Amino acid sequence: MLINTIKELREQVKNWKKQGLTIGLVPTMGALHQGHLSLIKKCVEKCDKTIVSVFVNPIQFCPGEDLEKYPRTLDEDKKLCEDAGVNIVFAPSPKEMYGEGHILSNDFLTYVIPPFFYVDKLCGKSRVGHFDGVCTVVNKLFNIVQPDFAFFGEKDRQQLIILKKMVKDLNIPVEIVPCPIIRETSGLALSSRNKYLTDKGKLDALALSKILFNIKICYNKGIKDVKALKETAYAFLNNSHALEYLEFRDKDTLEEKFSADNNTIVFIAAKVENVRLIDNIAL
Ligand code: PAF
């Protein structure tokens, strides 16, 4: 069932809650792929009722990013959701979520701002304000749906860590369920933005996962020094890659690691054909 308004969604959720049913939410921006479907599958298995939100959230895009050209495929998304056993696809308009005029001025919107320590690094460094937009919309979705469980992919690991922190700090009564990265057989992590890549771009994009897999092999062989591990990346990079970062950080606090251990996540971001790609791996 497709629902576009908060009012209608709340009525449906209220009914389910009255019956004591558990509710799972999978927040998405649409353009659903196998990665999203793995989250949806987990949600359908775990919860009595599954709601998938499809909302290209304007306030998490920075100036100059791909808000206008971000793929919007609601009909296909709806079909995929139906086939996967989703009960409701919630697809509100920006006006429904933020009211009139929000795009003209964010000065008239209450934001949820994650701690500076979590956003001054990795993607937050180049995407200033991005995580404020993510936390604000996810907090709104949590308030609208009041789910028991919410499912997020480890592909956006910084986002996942920040959202867990938000839920803890603000005592939001929801359990965040992390879901593993889904990869093509080539190793490429699935992303809605892969659609922007040419065939050659997709081949060049393999460098990201290759670098991560190789670092993990080296780590398993006993190399713990982060500087040495980072140096192994250069063998995979050429002038078709604009590396933005390759960083080793704690899996919960995002603190920088100089010696890798089992709590370390390796994060990578690079532009290929001007498409910004991210990936990560747990050591
Ligand atoms: O990961 C995403 O697709 C988005 O950041 C999210 C969590 C749906 C919020 O808009």
Side-chain angles (χ1 to χ4, degrees):
M1 188 191 343
L2 179 70
I3 289 185
N4 303 112
T5 67
I6 295 168
K7 187 167 178 283
E8 223 185 312
L9 184 78
R10 282 212 163 123
E11 274 160 20
Q12 185 57 67
V13 168
K14 212 165 134 194
N15 266 332
W16 287 340
K17 293 230 168 200
K18 252 195 230 152
Q19 297 169 49
L21 301 172
T22 56
I23 295 170
L25 172 68
V26 184
T28 81
M29 298 208 299
L32 302 183
H33 51 63
Q34 290 300 323
H36 298 109
L37 289 178
S38 73
L39 272 62
I40 291 171
K41 186 164 177 267
K42 219 169 174 173
C43 185
V44 169
E45 277 165 14
K46 196 175 173 70
C47 304
D48 297 321
K49 297 289 176 188
T50 292
I51 299 175
V52 173
S53 62
V54 174
F55 179 61
V56 182
N57 175 32
I59 68 164
Q60 72 183 71
F61 288 78
C62 303
E65 287 189 351
D66 54 345
L67 172 61
E68 276 80 34
K69 77 165 188 178
Y70 197 86
R72 287 163 172 84
T73 56
L74 187 58
D75 287 341
E76 286 143 58
D77 295 344
K78 226 170 61 188
K79 174 87 180 51
L80 286 169
C81 284
E82 266 163 31
D83 293 348
V86 170
N87 302 92
I88 290 178
V89 174
F90 176 52
S93 64
K95 190 174 157 213
E96 180 69 11
M97 286 297 274
Y98 294 118
E100 298 274 8
H102 73 278
I103 287 168
L104 294 177
S105 173
N106 290 341
D107 294 348
F108 293 93
L109 191 65
T110 303
Y111 270 79
V112 178
I113 316 271
F116 188 62
F117 184 79
Y118 285 69
V119 298
D120 68 342
K121 48 183 61 66
L122 304 171
C123 291
K125 216 167 164 177
S126 63
R127 307 189 74 190
V128 175
H130 167 69
F131 290 112
D132 302 352
V134 170
C135 285
T136 302
V137 80
V138 171
N139 196 62
K140 279 170 76 74
L141 289 167
F142 285 170
N143 286 330
I144 292 165
V145 177
Q146 302 189 8
D148 301 286
F149 300 95
F151 298 74
F152 294 91
E154 287 176 344
K155 162 86 181 356
D156 296 303
R157 179 87 69 159
Q158 187 179 12
Q159 166 174 284
L160 175 64
I161 292 169
I162 288 173
L163 290 173
K164 275 189 178 163
K165 174 89 177 127
M166 176 185 85
V167 162
K168 182 166 173 271
D169 288 353
L170 300 183
N171 306 96
I172 303 175
V174 63
E175 186 178 324
I176 302 264
V177 184
C179 304
I181 298 174
I182 304 296
R183 299 180 180 280
E184 291 186 359
T185 40
S186 64
L188 181 66
L190 296 192
S191 160
S192 304
R193 291 191 169 98
N194 291 351
K195 286 191 177 151
Y196 301 147
L197 295 168
T198 64
D199 287 345
K200 170 166 184 314
K202 272 187 127 186
L203 281 178
D204 290 332
L206 291 183
L208 278 79
S209 52
K210 281 187 180 155
I211 287 170
L212 296 179
F213 296 155
N214 187 54
I215 285 176
K216 181 139 179 149
I217 291 169
C218 295
Y219 171 76
N220 287 341
K221 279 186 186 157
I223 306 176
K224 305 286 183 262
D225 179 56
V226 164
K227 203 160 164 268
L229 288 168
K230 274 188 183 176
E231 268 160 21
T232 65
Y234 292 103
F236 300 91
L237 294 169
N238 59 44
N239 57 12
S240 62
H241 309 105
L243 183 67
E244 186 179 307
Y245 60 71
L246 174 64
E247 293 190 25
F248 290 60
R249 294 196 171 264
D250 181 83
K251 69 175 181 31
D252 299 312
T253 64
L254 289 178
E255 271 159 314
E256 191 166 3
K257 297 269 189 180
F258 298 98
S259 176
D261 58 27
N262 289 352
N263 293 324
T264 303
I265 308 284
V266 189
F267 293 84
I268 191 166
K271 274 191 178 161
V272 173
E273 295 179 330
N274 222 21
V275 180
R276 193 172 175 283
L277 302 170
I278 58 171
D279 201 347
N280 69 82
I281 203 163
L283 295 183

